[in-house]
Amino acid sequence: MDLDNLASLEYFYPEIILAGAILLVIVLDLVIKNKRVIGALSILGCLASLGATLQLYSGPSGFLFHRMMVLDHFSLFFKIVALAATILVLWMSFSSREVASLHQGEYATILLSSALGMFFMASATNLLMAYLSLEMVSITSYILTGFLPRNRRSSEAALKYLIYGGVASGAMIYGMSWIFGMTGSLDYSQIHAALFQGQPNQLALFIAFVLILAGFGYKIVFVPFHMWSPDVYQGAPTPFTAFLSVASNAAGVAILLRFFFPGVSQLGPDGSWRFLSGVEWPQFLLIVSMVTMTLGNLSALGQQNLKRMLAYSGIAHAGYILMGLVVLNTEGLQAMLFYIVVYLIMNLGAFLVVVLVANATGKEEIDGYRGLAWRGSAVPAIAMAIFLFSLTGLPPLAGFVGKFFLFAAVIKQQFYLLALVAVANSVISLYYYARVVKVMFLDFPEASDGRVELNPGAATLLGLLSVMTLVFGIYWGPLVAFTSQSLQFFTK
Amino acid sequence: MQAPIEYYLVLSAVLFAIGVAGVVIRRDVIVILMSIELMLNAVNLTFIAFSRFMGSVEGQVIVFFVMTVAAAEAVVGLAIVISVFRFRQTLDPRDMQLLKW
């Protein structure tokens, strides 16, 4: 179906509810003194929006707003991911001392606006919409990165983010203008038709794609558009860093897949995708993927700051996720979606422990984790070990299953070199993840190290995330079914 | 008589290149932000030229959005510049070395 503006509203409830929640939070922030209510209200808004999204999942697919956006399982999947990340991050923010010093109403408003931008990123089918949604997410991210008051690191990180982001999105829109010139349209399906019927200039097309990839790539954080990420991750408030590492990455993957798969390639009858002939994308992505994971892992080795280490590990994981794109078939894409969900769970868990330790010691460096298991509650240390081993990809944890699907997809298409590099990288990553575990369990705490307290809210969230990491490592059937059902693009 | 479209495209490519070069080599954050604006204006010129030559209105519409986004980005950017400037009275990016490697 192809709906006009008014008829689209009926399928637009998740966004409407979220936008309503944003406005409500702004207004209530003026009158309500107890700031916990604001956080709880934001979570309620997200839950309501999640309910509406899940309801649409069983409904029809189609174009909305004169083909500006599309409603299909793929977009709904990424909306669910964005909402899940927002809810968990808001929950995490309750127990963060760093966030407690911020202006709660504004923090929640901007976080929710960022989630709304991700909704649009997931469903954009027009270059204009893609650009606007990407900028919406970017600008809200700049603000939240520099949100810590009187904090030099935070301001500096925000400035670096802004400059990298401005250049990347400028390059992207320049590439889009070339695509517009070559095809005469901004709409994905018309671009598709024009590119496959006409004889576009290969070189111009390649340059335009690389420029567009710069904009998408800086969201997904792959080399060479990764430079901002370690600085920004270190400087931003920790719960927001967690949000950035999972939600912004996922939204970038969504917009990339939407543009490159239904946009500029064709689905063959055997479930494999065919790119425009003459442009060697698989080779290009293969190299990008290998370089990204290797550089991320090697740089993470020497890091002393946990947030910075997790930033480099995030770059490496972006490389793993790209492996699914290299094979250009449905199986690879499904493995990507599965890995995104798993990565969301384990990475948010790891950041939650960083938040708890920073609350107790004010430190993010690795020496703040000395003998964490013997200081107060042992639960954070055990949970952190679970998350870190899952990030490495050790069985029987969720990260192993995610990597297994990615590797299987790659090996089936006989990309042996890529698989080999990825396995070698997993081994390298074990070193720096295990180093943290060793410090937590085998080193002795010193008298100056603060006790790590666990409040009920944080304990519940920690338990939830670690149980999910364990469960998806053993019983992954429902999640696989969900991701394969979500891989449905609406194009006609 | 109308100038051929290549002229516009070359001009906007040159403007875009100047913008990128400005971001890379200039030593003042404000000038870097101006260079980013220059990149966006080069993009606007490309869109306008294409849509004029194709007789389509889509390219002109996107220019309004790009200008609005550029303004929003400048607002946030200058606010961040002020908060950085409070700590040290310089805008040289070489001094921003709290976060590295």
Side-chain angles (χ1 to χ4, degrees), chain A residues 160-232:
Chain A
K160 287 181 176 172
Y161 195 8
L162 179 98
I163 291 171
Y164 281 121
V167 173
S169 67
M172 179 187 74
I173 187 84
Y174 190 55
M176 285 175 175
S177 74
W178 280 29
I179 296 275
F180 173 68
M182 276 183 276
T183 61
S185 174
L186 295 171
D187 183 75
Y188 283 8
S189 46
Q190 284 173 29
I191 290 174
H192 179 96
L195 287 181
F196 274 88
Q197 281 155 16
Q199 293 289 324
N201 182 330
Q202 298 293 351
L203 180 67
L205 202 60
F206 187 77
I207 295 174
F209 281 169
V210 170
L211 287 169
I212 291 182
L213 208 59
F216 297 162
Y218 117 96
K219 276 265 159 268
I220 309 177
V221 207
F222 55 70
V223 176
F225 315 112
H226 67 286
M227 281 92 87
W228 60 273
S229 111
D231 292 352
V232 168

